[in-house]
Amino acid sequence: MAEAGSFADKVKNQADIVRVIGEYVRLKKSGQNFTGLCPFHAEKTPSFAVHPVKQIFHCFGCGKGGDVFSFVMEMEKCPFPEAVKIVAEKCGIPVPRPKERTPEERKENQQRAALIEIHREAQTFFVRQLEATAEGKAAHAYLEDRGLNAEAITKFGIGYAPSGGDTLLRQLKPKYPEKLLVESGVVSRDQSGARLFDRFRKRITFPIANESGKIVAFGCRALGDDMPKYLNSPETPIYSKSNLLYHLDRAKDTIRRQDFAVLVEGYMDAIAVARAGIANVVASCGTSLAEPQIKLLGRFTKRVIVNYDPDAAGQAATERSLTLLLENDFEVKVLALPAIGDKKADPDLFIREKGVDAYIKALKESPPYVDYLIARARQMDLTTGEGKRRALNFLMPYVQKIPNQLLRSEWATRIAQQLRIDEPVLRAALNKSATERRSEVKVAPQLVGKPAKQIERRLIRMLAEAEGFKKELAQRLQLGRLYEGLETEKVFAALIVAGLSEEPMSATEIGANLEERERQVFFEILFEDAQEPTWEEAESCLEALRRRQIEQELAKVQRTIEANPSGSGLRELLERKQELMKQLAASG
Ligand SMILES: [Zn+2]
């Protein structure tokens, strides 16, 4: 993976695997290794080990293992180049700026820059429309009616897209090629393909900026009863809905400082909450939070208060988001605002009706997600056994997502109390689903009950590490074909190739050429406590393999004789048998 001389190779040589993994897992020194609770499967006693010298990790429970990069890839669910970058950053190794290597890349960058420029111009245009046209003034009045004053309108860059149909187009057309304008999403092409027109018409415009504050899209709300009520930019080369959080560019510093974020659904909610003085608010701009959005937020905090709309869609969105947030180790609270009169309250409405202080108070009192979920479960009919079962089935998937065993146990007690379920019964159900979850998530290590024999393990260790004689050992094994038919034959084959080659190969590189099952055995062996190997020991192991080979041939000869006692080759077979028995006696 890490090519010699490459940046990845440099990072790998400089990175300390113990330090990097130590940022994710609490590690304790134990003999030559460091051990801790495996982050990839649920466990109470540590079976996860990191080897500081070999720079590898291995879990004896679930079998996961590899080098510093594979660990980060698995933890962050990111591809190799990203993992290299993350490790480099953690270790303070400067990451080279990506060069524009190909003409295509240069073209792409130019295109992105032009798309951002189009958005900048469109933004100026929309703002001017709101301020300076009759149509825009009506929109302005509508916004004020919604509680947005001039200061807020300016601050959040709110503008107006006129009803004309090509006003913006006429302004942009002289400067940009048609294709690019369509690609930007602010201009659309009609079905015949012949005519271009403004995508947003007769709508309030909200600029959507990326993390660094560049406008990359617009969210637009119909002024009248036009459908759809909300119309947003399409996905473009500079905008992907699932990779962006609205208001993050302004919220990120406060999120980091206060170490928590408020998550709302739409940009109107985000604006209302931000105006209430809660700067650390972001909106998912969609009913459901996507995994990349969670990763993005996770770079600033792991604590979040989810305040989605209280309607059915919002509830479902909350619950879907919860699952993802929990899986990504977020500490989650849920704010479900009480209805106002007969209206279900979103943050915007709640703040307008009840005031900032009431909202801040509700935010402060928002319960941990499990209490929110229990409250939801309690709305189900709990008078019957069937109802209780349904409530439990609703809660169980969330409880399973809690990585921490102790916490999971605490929740079990609370759920039992609140739903009036017999606690031992609940715990049994929980344990059962926990085990099921484990077998679902992890492949059970197939080596259980079939560990490689001690001799094989010793030889493998020597082949990997006995610098003084591993080449000689590889030659002897190769020459006598002594490893053939062994359970670990493939590990031997890979190590022999490595041992005979002139290029030094790392354990990870060898492991990368093996099937997962074989790699697991190999890594396990590397982690065993072992004495310094000697050539004498190696010879006695080789001798044992030779004996095994003779015994196997002997058994085969014997079987052939018995199968056909009057066969034509009987004499040769008997002679071979004698010869083999002699060899066996000599080697014993
Ligand atoms: Zn594990």
Side-chain angles (χ1 to χ4, degrees), residues 244-245 262-267 269-270 273 281-290 293-294 297 304-322 324-325 333-338 344-348 350 359 363 372:
L244 187 141
L245 288 164
V262 179
L263 178 69
V264 297
E265 223 173 284
Y267 32 80
D269 294 323
V273 174
V281 61
V282 292
S284 51
C285 281
T287 44
S288 192
L289 200 55
Q293 289 176 311
I294 291 175
L297 187 58
V304 64
I305 301 179
V306 181
N307 181 194
Y308 275 6
D309 290 359
D311 59 9
Q315 246 168 25
T318 303
E319 280 145 31
R320 265 196 310 274
S321 307
L322 276 183
L324 275 178
L325 286 164
K333 290 182 171 184
V334 179
L335 172 54
L337 292 167
K344 294 185 169 167
D346 57 38
D348 182 26
F350 187 88
Y359 182 75
L363 201 59
Y372 162 81

Side-chain angles (χ1 to χ4, degrees), residues 2 8 24 30 105 127 136 200 227 315 361 399 430 446 535 553:
Y24 300 86
S30 155
E105 278 169 332
V127 167
F200 307 117
M227 293 301 279
Q315 246 168 25
K361 184 164 177 285
V399 182
L430 200 61
Q446 290 108 322
W535 178 243
E553 196 190 337

Side-chain angles (χ1 to χ4, degrees), residues 156 246-247 264 266-275 278 281-283:
F156 294 99
Y246 177 74
H247 199 250
V264 297
Y267 32 80
M268 284 298 274
D269 294 323
I271 290 172
V273 174
R275 286 185 69 214
I278 298 145
V281 61
V282 292

Side-chain angles (χ1 to χ4, degrees), residues 407-424:
L407 215 60
R408 208 157 57 225
S409 166
E410 257 174 54
W411 293 128
T413 308
R414 286 170 73 169
I415 292 170
Q417 284 166 356
Q418 300 258 344
L419 300 188
R420 297 210 178 75
I421 293 171
D422 190 28
E423 195 172 327

